[in-house]
Amino acid sequence: MTQVLTFLGLESSCDDTAAAVVRHRPGALPEILSSVVIAQTDLHAAFGGVVPEIAARAHAEKLDHCTEAALAQAGLSLQALDGIAVTAGPGLIGGVLSGVMLAKGLCAATGLPLIGVNHLAGHALTPRLTEMLAFPYLMLLVSGGHCQFLIATGPEDFTRLGGTIDDAPGEAFDKTAKLLGLPQPGGPAVEREATQGDAKRFAFPRPLLNQPGCDMSFSGLKTALLRARDAFIAEKGGITVQDRRDLCAGFQAAVADVLTEKTRRAVEIYAEFGPHKPALAVAGGVAANQAIRTRLTALCAARGLHFSAPPLPLCTDNAAMIAWAGIERFRAGHRDDFTLAARPRWPLDQNAAPMIGSGKKGAKA
Ligand code: KG4
Ligand code: ZN
């Protein structure tokens, strides 16, 4: 497998339409030749969540422009590619279908190989795109739609150690922001407020911390915050700026505590896999949170793990990770044909128990 590979990647499983071109020379780090992401944030803003039908229409409208832009930025034509990788699930089915149909059309027209990629594998393989992290590594996916611990032992081999049983942490940040009148996306807004707040003033719960394992729950935290806010309003007629900062700080501290303690447990299980160069990698928008990052960095330092945090544009949804996962699958001998199906659910680890929650961003694995 010494072949230089150049792949187009397509992503349309949630609310970002994306196309990217990635090239890999064996022995060298992969190169992202282009990465175009068209976010749909404004289209869904008024609805307080992603509206599947609006998302699907926007993907169908934007995907081909996005693809043209990615090829133009890479300075390549379709003929210069070695394959096309597309997110085939899990996600909102209308969007996934748009991507799979376009990829099939392009492959039918060019004769290029088609590779269906699991969106979560795209996130989970990102540390190899950025620094060729050696298997096995521990992965924490934390975004508005995902929250799970995975051990990646190969491009197609993942063991799921646990995850949220209801909301994803980003979803909890977004709901908290909404309850406190802060703008969306909520994570950065809540983090900003929290920097000037007293995290000890409110004792928010640490859900599932007293139970063994790596499963997590974040929906109760939002309810606790709602109660605290309403108690203030009933008592004083409203909340002050400082109350809001303290509520944000207390909420963020609870999320950070839960994620850190569950990561500590995941690290213990991961140690049993006998990693040569132990590493914890993070992905997802919540990984941008400095308070959470600081805690995870400290945990890694104490346990002798390398901490791998891709730059934010590669942590959040993008198509470079899909192109890269396609290259990894292709090198592993995987090929798809025109029977490739768009899947709303597609667990990365087929042996793991299914997740209970599905959350605002639609069905997940
Ligand atoms: O990975 P992402 O862009 O999209 C998916 O969910 O797929 O993640 C977005 C989520 C949002 O819920 C946003 O509020 C959260 O990540 N987020 C943050 C921060 N920046 C983004 N959460 C906490 N702290 C942040 N600094
Ligand atoms: Zn994602």
Side-chain angles (χ1 to χ4, degrees):
M1 279 292 179
T2 52
Q3 193 191 351
V4 178
L5 292 177
T6 307
F7 266 54
L8 171 71
L10 302 174
E11 159 62 36
S12 55
S13 65
C14 189
D15 56 350
D16 291 304
T17 312
V21 180
V22 172
R23 175 171 289 162
H24 182 229
R25 285 187 172 73
L29 278 181
E31 274 175 275
I32 299 173
L33 302 184
S34 63
S35 182
V36 179
V37 180
I38 303 177
Q40 301 177 358
T41 321
D42 295 348
L43 295 180
H44 302 287
F47 303 96
V50 177
V51 184
E53 183 60 21
I54 293 176
R57 280 168 193 263
H59 286 306
E61 271 171 27
K62 298 273 160 55
L63 257 172
D64 50 354
H65 301 298
C66 214
T67 305
E68 277 172 3
L71 287 168
Q73 282 181 25
L76 296 175
S77 64
L78 281 171
Q79 285 70 30
L81 300 173
D82 299 298
I84 297 180
V86 61
T87 300
L92 299 172
I93 194 64
V96 180
L97 263 173
S98 303
V100 169
M101 297 297 282
L102 176 61
K104 283 182 182 175
L106 292 174
C107 288
T110 56
L112 287 169
L114 170 70
I115 308 284
V117 167
N118 183 310
H119 176 86
L120 299 173
H123 281 302
L125 294 170
T126 297
R128 292 176 56 74
L129 170 63
T130 54
E131 55 175 303
M132 217 26 123
L133 201 62
F135 296 119
Y137 55 83
L138 177 63
M139 182 86 210
L140 169 60
L141 287 183
V142 268
S143 69
H146 326 292
C147 180
Q148 54 185 295
F149 292 106
L150 294 163
I151 294 177
T153 46
E156 307 198 291
D157 299 312
F158 303 95
T159 304
R160 187 174 175 279
L161 303 183
T164 182
I165 59 165
D166 40 54
D167 291 355
E171 204 171 347
F173 269 100
D174 293 342
K175 286 176 181 168
T176 293
K178 207 169 165 189
L179 288 173
L180 297 177
L182 294 167
Q184 296 294 317
V190 170
E191 181 174 16
R192 244 186 336 269
E193 296 288 304
T195 51
Q196 297 175 67
D198 173 7
K200 299 219 164 62
R201 184 167 159 208
F202 297 98
F204 286 120
R206 270 58 174 162
L208 295 191
L209 217 53
N210 55 356
Q211 291 190 26
C214 298
D215 278 343
M216 292 166 276
S217 162
F218 296 100
S219 68
L221 255 179
K222 161 201 73 197
T223 314
L225 188 118
L226 175 67
R227 286 217 190 91
R229 184 202 67 173
D230 287 352
F232 264 114
I233 294 173
E235 205 181 305
K236 300 185 194 160
I239 59 169
T240 66
V241 169
Q242 194 55 46
D243 294 337
R244 182 159 79 180
R245 290 174 179 160
D246 295 344
L247 286 165
C248 286
F251 165 82
Q252 181 174 272
V255 175
D257 272 359
V258 171
L259 283 173
T260 311
E261 170 56 19
K262 294 287 178 170
T263 304
R264 194 189 59 71
R265 293 183 202 175
V267 166
E268 273 169 24
I269 302 170
Y270 167 59
E272 293 164 18
F273 282 66
H276 226 49
K277 292 181 182 166
L280 168 70
V282 288
V286 181
N289 185 286
Q290 275 309 326
I292 293 170
R293 240 175 144 106
T294 305
R295 298 281 300 275
L296 294 177
T297 312
L299 174 75
C300 285
R303 302 270 159 155
L305 270 79
H306 167 63
F307 182 64
S308 169
L312 199 58
L314 293 177
C315 269
T316 53
D317 285 353
N318 67 89
M321 69 179 189
I322 303 303
W324 170 246
I327 290 176
E328 291 248 49
R329 288 199 99 186
F330 185 84
R331 289 209 192 279
H334 183 95
R335 304 288 183 276
D336 283 298
D337 58 26
F338 294 128
T339 62
L340 174 69
R343 301 170 63 172
R345 286 192 176 259
W346 184 1
L348 253 190
D349 178 353
Q350 307 287 340
N351 299 316
M355 275 179 65
I356 300 166
S358 72
K360 79 167 199 265
K361 298 230 168 169
K364 297 177 289 286

